[in-house]
């Protein structure tokens, strides 16, 4: 069964709206969660890495004030797309991993959120 | 900085053919390599995971190999079927402070009935 749950799976909203996406680890404590973005016919690009209880680390070119990440607990991380515009329309996927002692374990991914901004 | 590439970008084969997808990565400091399948508009399905100390993994008609020293992996699909049509992504988990997973651009496979 799924070990990472992502919600919502699909959202359509008007330009200027802020949208929150949740990522939950279901049966393990996720010390680190990752957020990816995928544009049509392109691969997954890592946006940011979030660690429980600390500020997220953003990849080069990703606006941290645009994409707010909160990782307040070991089972939940949220990505908020603030004042979303049509160019933010994309497929967003989260991933979670446990303690560094399990670094050789497979990475578990949510099913993704398709965001469409009108 | 780790970079992952995949060739070919797209591949079309008749049903029943065997095929090989290629993945290359620039930094051999990895924990493992995973092959994923992605259907249009959907999330990721994990196919095979190869640890850095392993040479290959098999699951049904799929066989993945890893040559860490040369930075290469292949995914072999035997007796392809139309249901195999999808995009195949390889991804490496790098040895960094946060153990990031970096994806290749993918190979789009079409198996023609």
């Amino acid at each position: 069964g799924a070990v990472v749950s992502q919600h919502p799976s699909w959202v359509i909203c008007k330009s200027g709206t802020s949208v929150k996406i949740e990522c939950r680890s279901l049966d393990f404590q996720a010390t680190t969660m990752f957020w990816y973005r995928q544009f049509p016919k392109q691969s997954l690009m890592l946006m940011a890495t979030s660690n429980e209880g600390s500020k997220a680390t953003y990849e080069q070119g990703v606006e941290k004030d645009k994409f707010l990440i909160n990782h307040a607990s070991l089972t939940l991380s949220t990505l908020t797309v603030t004042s979303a515009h049509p160019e933010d329309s994309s497929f967003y996927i989260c991933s979670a991993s446990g303690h560094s002692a399990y670094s050789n374990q497979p990475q578990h991914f949510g099913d993704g959120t398709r965001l469409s901004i009108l | 900085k780790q970079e992952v590439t995949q060739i070919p970008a797209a591949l079309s084969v008749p049903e029943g053919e065997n095929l090989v997808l290629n993945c290359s990565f620039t930094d051999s400091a990895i924990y493992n390599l995973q092959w994923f399948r992605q259907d249009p508009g959907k999330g990721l399905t994990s196919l095979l995971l190869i640890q850095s100390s392993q040479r290959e993994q098999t699951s049904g008609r799929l066989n993945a190999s890893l040559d860490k020293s040369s930075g290469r992996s292949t995914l072999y699909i035997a007796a392809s079927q139309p249901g195999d049509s999808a995009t195949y992504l390889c991804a490496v988990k790098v040895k960094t402070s946060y153990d990031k997973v970096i994806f290749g651009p993918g190979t789009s496979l079409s198996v023609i009935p």
Side-chain angles (χ1 to χ4, degrees):
Chain A
V3 296
V4 175
S5 174
Q6 191 172 337
H7 178 80
S9 58
W10 191 28
V11 59
I12 302 175
C13 58
K14 294 181 179 180
S15 183
T17 305
S18 292
V19 179
K20 180 183 285 187
I21 303 170
E22 292 187 347
C23 181
R24 295 181 183 273
S25 57
L26 299 181
D27 56 4
F28 67 100
Q29 293 185 328
T31 54
T32 306
M33 287 188 173
F34 304 89
W35 289 95
Y36 293 82
R37 178 169 55 182
Q38 184 180 35
F39 290 110
K41 299 190 182 299
Q42 296 186 26
S43 190
L44 281 74
M45 298 303 295
L46 180 64
M47 298 174 65
T49 303
S50 73
N51 284 282
E52 186 266 338
S54 62
K55 290 184 178 180
T57 302
Y58 290 82
E59 296 297 305
Q60 190 174 9
V62 178
E63 299 174 60
K64 61 181 180 181
D65 295 329
K66 175 76 170 177
F67 300 99
L68 301 180
I69 293 174
N70 182 279
H71 193 162
S73 77
L74 286 172
T75 58
L76 174 64
S77 176
T78 60
L79 168 67
T80 301
V81 183
T82 62
S83 187
H85 289 93
E87 58 266 29
D88 298 322
S89 298
S90 187
F91 192 55
Y92 294 87
I93 302 181
C94 71
S95 173
S97 63
H99 191 273
S100 60
Y102 306 108
S103 291
N104 63 346
Q105 295 302 303
Q107 202 76 357
H108 300 290
F109 289 82
D111 287 337
T113 297
R114 184 157 304 282
L115 175 62
S116 296
I117 308 297
L118 304 178
Chain B
K1 179 182 176 182
Q2 178 75 266
E3 293 186 1
V4 182
T5 56
Q6 291 184 245
I7 55 172
L11 181 63
S12 182
V13 300
E15 181 177 4
E17 272 203 7
N18 304 324
L19 59 100
V20 175
L21 308 181
N22 298 284
C23 173
S24 298
F25 49 96
T26 55
D27 189 343
S28 61
I30 64 171
Y31 286 110
N32 55 50
L33 183 147
Q34 260 180 288
W35 282 93
F36 294 89
R37 168 187 173 137
Q38 186 177 32
D39 293 290
K42 303 294 185 181
L44 303 175
T45 300
S46 180
L47 299 174
L48 288 165
L49 170 73
I50 310 179
Q51 300 295 348
S52 62
S53 58
Q54 297 176 324
R55 298 284 292 181
E56 66 177 314
Q57 283 288 324
T58 298
S59 176
R61 294 183 293 110
L62 306 179
N63 176 278
S65 69
L66 174 64
D67 184 342
K68 194 178 73 167
S69 61
S70 67
R72 295 179 181 179
S73 176
T74 62
L75 178 66
Y76 175 83
I77 303 177
S80 58
Q81 303 172 357
D84 295 331
S85 299
T87 295
Y88 291 80
L89 299 160
C90 73
V92 295
K93 181 180 279 192
V94 299
K95 290 183 177 179
T96 66
S97 57
Y98 296 125
D99 300 344
K100 299 176 184 179
V101 173
I102 306 297
F103 282 83
T107 293
S108 176
L109 172 66
S110 294
V111 181
I112 312 301

